[in-house]
Amino acid sequence: MRNLIASTIHLVLHIERMQDGSRKVTYITELRGVDREAIVFNDLFVFHLDKIDEQGRVVGALKPSIRYYPLFFQKLQKMRLVSDKIFVNE
């Protein structure tokens, strides 16, 4: 079952409700496959909280946090759908 899940799902978006009531994407994670019966995940982007503003709103942004380039990255590059600099922290 794990192999089936890992072979059909490529990305997982994790959305959280913040303390101000808004919803934000907090993780974009790649499922890389199965290694010894465990599904291997690779976080591509993680939400970093910068501050809570005067109105109590959560302010932050998704920042790159990759350990490995996604397995599908070269395919997207060939189709010119992503830039080489997508994972550069600016």
Side-chain angles (χ1 to χ4, degrees), residues 1-89:
M1 184 60 80
R2 287 184 183 101
N3 286 332
L4 179 63
I5 292 169
S7 67
T8 57
I9 299 173
H10 300 288
L11 285 176
V12 175
L13 297 177
H14 183 96
I15 300 172
E16 288 184 40
R17 183 184 299 271
M18 298 289 142
Q19 60 197 37
D20 65 353
S22 67
R23 289 185 175 94
K24 304 229 185 277
V25 175
T26 53
Y27 290 90
I28 299 176
T29 303
E30 173 194 29
L31 275 71
R32 290 188 68 86
V34 177
D35 182 27
R36 294 189 208 135
E37 297 188 24
I39 297 174
V40 179
F41 297 97
N42 179 28
D43 287 336
L44 304 177
F45 297 93
V46 176
F47 182 81
H48 290 275
L49 175 69
D50 292 331
K51 66 179 180 176
I52 307 291
D53 70 8
E54 301 82 33
Q55 289 80 29
R57 291 180 295 213
V58 172
V59 178
L62 284 171
K63 304 279 173 116
S65 66
I66 65 169
R67 287 177 279 169
Y68 312 103
Y69 275 95
L71 298 173
F72 56 84
F73 187 67
Q74 287 180 341
K75 184 176 181 180
L76 294 178
Q77 279 183 313
K78 286 178 186 175
M79 295 175 3
R80 298 178 190 249
L81 295 174
V82 295
S83 165
D84 293 341
K85 297 181 174 102
I86 190 170
F87 296 112
V88 176
N89 216 350

